[in-house]
Amino acid sequence: MTPIFSLYKPLNFIQVVQYNATTMDPRTTSFLLSLLLIIFFNSPFAASETFNVVSFGAKPDAKTDSSKAFQAAWARACTSSTSASIYVPNGRFYLRHATFNGPCRNDAIDIHIDGTLVAPSDFHVNANSPNWIIFHLVNGVSIFGGTLDGQGAGLWACKRSAKTCPRGATSLEFTDSKNIMISGLTSLNSQIFHIVVNECHNVKMEGLKVSASGNSPNTDGIHVGLSSHVTILNSDISTGDDCISIGPGTSNLWIENVACGPGHGISIGSLGKALKEDGVQNVTVKSCRFMNTQNGVRIKSWGRPSSGFARNIRFQHLKMTNVKNPIIIDQNYCPYNKDCPGQASGIKVSDVTYQDIRGTAATRFAMTFDCSPKFPCVGIKLEDVKLSYKNGAAKALCSHVRGTVTGCQ
């Protein structure tokens, strides 16, 4: 018999009770059915409402603007007093721009996407807005599946032509939100950043696929800033910029089993752009693979005063394949030699561990520690680092760094 307290297959239980009604005491049968109904109708599954965007006027024809329909479905889900689901069926849904604001009456909204959301092909439509799709002040929102097509190629071409171009729009952003899940989502060809997590707490991203041309500017795969307890798992990221970038104010970030390439690697920073800045701490990057990337794992700060820091960082069990800079700390970042020449970075880098880093470098210098002369990098630990260049030993460049070396190097 199906367990009495199963919430997932209540009909099977009812069928079993009905089947055994002839042999079961009627009072027992009545009691069990009543108990089941009480459990089921008080469970979150029973009360959930589903809102199909097509019912609100969305059209899967890739040309009719469905922005208002999506926002109408969101309004219904957000004002529901019980858990709610928004469903996007197969097809290509054109969205000009969409903002999903909270707070909502409930803290359990699932968005199930079988189709593709398509941004305007004319980059001028959205390129002066910071975001294409944004969630603000939400709690308990989960996105499952689906594809976001940012159609950013036009803006990339504009930027490569040296014309005056707009900055561009991030495809998906969560800001000032908590308890967020993004699972199985594909993001293609964002104008700039694909996914941004800003001022959020307790976010999990898993099974993501992010893809843009290797020469697409500023198309970071995932950016995390001013956020805590963020997890990124089992994802494949190929872009023209950082696969994952980690901004100031990030703490308790866990990245595991991410394939990166092409792109600029996984980067903490750039830090120290502001004089007063929150630090980065408690970051783990584990069991990741880097293929034909500009960098592997990088910590980068501006060469000028700042109150920020990067500490308690763990890079573990990483595989490099033809990576230009597999391991790099650069505290003398000064693009265009503006506002920083001759100054020393105020970012304090400490307690950084590189453990079991293996593979091949595309240049002779596989490790670069170019730290601040005013605040040297301290507590740098190298444990079993084995990187080669053209079948020979790679080299390291070290400046203003203190630490220990153990195991095979």
Side-chain angles (χ1 to χ4, degrees):
M1 181 183 295
T2 303
I4 293 175
F5 296 101
S6 171
L7 297 180
Y8 296 98
K9 295 184 179 180
L11 292 179
N12 289 347
F13 174 67
I14 292 173
Q15 292 167 355
V16 169
V17 172
Q18 290 174 337
Y19 179 79
N20 288 286
T22 56
T23 59
M24 188 182 297
D25 185 286
R27 290 172 297 180
T28 303
T29 302
S30 177
F31 168 76
L32 292 176
L33 283 171
S34 298
L35 179 62
L36 172 67
L37 292 173
I38 290 171
I39 294 172
F40 179 68
F41 285 109
N42 283 279
S43 74
F45 304 101
S48 178
E49 295 184 87
T50 298
F51 303 100
N52 189 323
V53 295
V54 173
S55 300
F56 293 86
K59 297 186 182 299
D61 59 7
K63 60 182 180 179
T64 302
D65 186 4
S66 296
S67 305
K68 290 183 178 179
F70 274 69
Q71 290 176 317
W74 170 260
R76 290 289 302 277
C78 187
T79 56
S80 173
S81 60
T82 61
S83 60
S85 294
I86 297 172
Y87 178 59
V88 181
N90 280 316
R92 292 176 63 83
F93 294 86
Y94 168 65
L95 294 184
R96 183 184 178 95
H97 177 76
T99 299
F100 303 107
N101 283 320
C104 297
R105 290 186 66 191
N106 69 82
D107 57 4
I109 299 177
D110 293 347
I111 303 173
H112 296 267
I113 306 174
D114 285 338
T116 298
L117 311 188
V118 184
S121 57
D122 180 357
F123 67 83
H124 293 95
V125 174
N126 275 338
N128 286 312
S129 300
N131 304 281
W132 173 33
I133 299 169
I134 183 170
F135 291 81
H136 179 233
L137 283 173
V138 300
N139 178 18
V141 170
S142 299
I143 298 176
F144 298 99
T147 299
L148 307 180
D149 186 351
Q151 300 212 91
L155 180 61
W156 308 340
C158 178
K159 290 181 175 181
R160 286 195 297 267
S161 70
K163 297 178 182 178
T164 300
C165 307
R167 181 175 183 273
T170 292
S171 279
L172 174 66
E173 177 168 345
F174 279 87
T175 185
D176 202 6
S177 299
K178 59 184 178 180
N179 304 320
I180 305 302
M181 162 75 84
I182 307 174
S183 178
L185 178 71
T186 296
S187 179
L188 305 175
N189 302 326
S190 181
Q191 287 187 354
I192 51 171
F193 291 13
H194 283 76
I195 299 171
V196 168
V197 175
N198 180 55
E199 295 186 285
C200 292
H201 175 75
N202 191 24
V203 178
K204 183 176 181 180
M205 292 173 272
E206 183 171 17
L208 306 187
K209 182 177 177 58
V210 178
S211 180
S213 168
N215 64 353
S216 56
N218 305 117
T219 53
D220 294 38
I222 300 172
H223 177 77
V224 181
L226 296 170
S227 299
S228 63
H229 295 90
V230 177
T231 302
I232 303 170
L233 304 174
N234 309 324
S235 296
D236 192 337
I237 304 174
S238 56
T239 74
D241 211 296
D242 295 333
C243 291
I244 300 173
S245 55
I246 302 158
T250 299
S251 64
N252 299 301
L253 170 64
W254 187 281
I255 301 169
E256 184 172 0
N257 193 28
V258 170
C260 172
H264 293 179
I266 295 177
S267 296
I268 296 175
S270 55
L271 306 178
K273 188 173 184 179
L275 180 61
K276 293 185 178 180
E277 184 178 273
D278 293 330
V280 173
Q281 60 187 331
N282 305 331
V283 174
T284 297
V285 178
K286 181 179 180 181
S287 302
C288 295
R289 304 175 303 283
F290 302 83
M291 296 151 287
N292 304 310
T293 54
Q294 183 183 86
N295 306 297
V297 287
R298 173 175 58 168
I299 300 173
K300 179 176 69 171
S301 72
W302 287 72
R304 60 192 190 194
S306 177
S307 62
F309 59 83
R311 64 189 181 211
N312 193 22
I313 314 296
R314 301 289 179 267
F315 299 115
Q316 301 173 312
H317 316 305
L318 307 181
K319 177 66 182 295
M320 309 285 174
T321 303
N322 196 42
V323 175
K324 185 177 179 180
N325 302 298
I327 295 173
I328 180 170
I329 298 179
D330 176 12
Q331 289 200 262
N332 292 288
Y333 178 65
C334 188
Y336 312 114
N337 290 318
K338 184 179 180 181
D339 299 329
C340 42
Q343 302 184 62
S345 174
I347 297 294
K348 300 173 183 65
V349 177
S350 62
D351 299 319
V352 183
T353 298
Y354 301 89
Q355 181 185 47
D356 185 27
I357 316 293
R358 300 175 184 272
T360 58
T363 60
R364 184 176 299 278
F365 293 97
M367 291 190 296
T368 299
F369 297 108
D370 187 11
C371 297
S372 170
K374 187 173 182 179
F375 298 102
C377 300
V378 297
I380 308 301
K381 299 176 183 177
L382 299 175
E383 302 175 6
D384 295 321
V385 175
K386 188 176 182 180
L387 296 165
S388 64
Y389 170 68
K390 292 186 176 180
N391 299 318
K395 294 186 176 183
L397 287 173
C398 300
S399 178
H400 307 293
V401 58
R402 303 168 187 168
T404 59
V405 177
T406 60
C408 174
Q409 305 299 327

